[in-house]
């Protein structure tokens, strides 16, 4: 069964450093998402991506964040200058035309 | 904010049916009811969705009231592996965004 994959599973970085979280969505899916979950809190929407552009972003998704689909398979989330409060689980999701989203296993980002 | 209200926690005996309620009194005509679950810190997992008719798949059944203001997710024979946080979400089924707004969900504890 096809699944969304994410790498790395755990990323540790120093405050102020840039990180890139990678996702490989399901191959025939059209819509891509990033969500995050701070420890003990609810899952929060960050950004949606369709047709090679951002279709919606939340207030969390400020200028420090960017997304890219550099080739036909990868979907990346870049945080330019990480802050302590960026520490969270980051989930990638993808879907076909219908809105049943399939989530990856997540990347745990720890900012020291 | 989430457009749904769910009890924070429920218990269920292993092998018995788990009935998880959700109120969504402000649901609009083109919004569907989706159920996802999150086991420990894994990525959310799609379970089932519906518009106005009852739905059943291999994982669960979804009962939506006639006025669509509430619904119940039924796990017919709960197992220990069904212990998770269950999220009821209302969203459009298609469109360029389709972001999912997660609430706190219901923590279901299945007990032996």
């Amino acid at each position: 069964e096809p699944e969304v994959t994410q790498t790395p599973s755990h990323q540790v970085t120093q405050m102020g450093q840039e990180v890139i979280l990678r996702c490989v969505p399901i191959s025939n899916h059209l819509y891509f998402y990033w969500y995050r979950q701070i420890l003990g809190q609810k899952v929060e929407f960050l950004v949606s991506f369709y047709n090679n552009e951002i279709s919606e972003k939340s207030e969390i998704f400020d200028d420090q964040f960017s997304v890219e689909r550099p080739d036909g398979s990868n979907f990346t989330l870049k945080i330019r200058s990480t802050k302590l409060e960026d520490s969270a689980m980051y989930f990638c999701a993808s879907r076909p035309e219908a809105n049943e989203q399939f989530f990856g296993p997540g990347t745990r980002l720890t900012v020291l | 904010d989430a457009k749904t209200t769910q009890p924070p926690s429920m218990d269920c005996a292993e092998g018995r049916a788990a009935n998880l309620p959700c109120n969504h009194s402000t649901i609009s005509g083109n919004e569907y009811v989706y159920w996802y679950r999150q086991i420990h810190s894994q990525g959310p997992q799609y379970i089932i969705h519906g518009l106005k008719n009852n739905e059943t798949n291999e994982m669960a059944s979804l009962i939506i009231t006639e006025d669509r203001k509430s619904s119940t997710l039924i796990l017919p024979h709960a197992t220990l592996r069904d212990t998770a946080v269950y999220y009821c979400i209302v969203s459009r089924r298609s469109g360029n965004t389709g972001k999912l707004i997660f609430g706190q969900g219901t923590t279901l504890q299945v007990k032996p």
Side-chain angles (χ1 to χ4, degrees), chain A residues 31 33 35 37 40-43 45 48 50 55-56 89 91 95 97-105 108, chain B residues 1 34 36 38 41-46 49 87 91-104:
Chain A
Y31 301 83
Y33 302 84
Y35 294 82
Q37 186 174 33
Q41 298 186 24
K42 59 187 180 182
V43 177
F45 166 78
S48 60
Y50 170 72
S55 48
E56 187 173 357
M89 282 290 288
F91 296 108
R95 69 170 174 98
E97 184 62 45
N99 198 16
E100 288 87 80
Q101 296 186 23
F102 293 81
F103 285 76
R108 180 172 298 284
Chain B
D1 289 341
Y34 288 85
Y36 285 77
Q38 187 176 26
S41 295
Q42 298 176 23
Q45 178 189 21
Y46 164 78
H49 73 277
Y87 300 100
S91 181
R92 292 171 55 195
R93 185 138 193 261
S94 61
N96 290 356
T97 59
K99 67 181 179 184
L100 299 177
I101 305 298
F102 289 80
Q104 299 293 345

Side-chain angles (χ1 to χ4, degrees), chain B residues 3-5 23 31 33 35 41 49-50 70 84 87:
Chain B
K3 296 171 65 175
T4 62
T5 305
N23 287 319
E31 288 182 320
V33 180
W35 283 84
S41 295
H49 73 277
S70 65
Y87 300 100

Side-chain angles (χ1 to χ4, degrees), chain A residues 32-34 45-49 54 56-58 61 67 77:
Chain A
F32 313 106
Y33 302 84
W34 285 100
F45 166 78
L46 291 178
V47 66
S48 60
F49 192 86
I54 291 173
E56 187 173 357
K57 58 184 180 180
S58 71
F61 194 89
V67 290
L77 174 69

Side-chain angles (χ1 to χ4, degrees), chain B residues 8-26:
Chain B
S9 64
M10 293 182 65
D11 289 344
C12 177
E14 188 179 18
R16 305 297 292 267
N19 297 284
L20 293 92
C22 178
N23 287 319
H24 33 79
S25 58
T26 61

Side-chain angles (χ1 to χ4, degrees), chain B residues 47-59:
Chain B
I47 301 173
I48 198 168
H49 73 277
L51 181 64
K52 55 183 177 181
N53 298 319
N54 298 339
E55 301 288 344
T56 296
N57 63 19
E58 66 277 4
M59 290 183 68

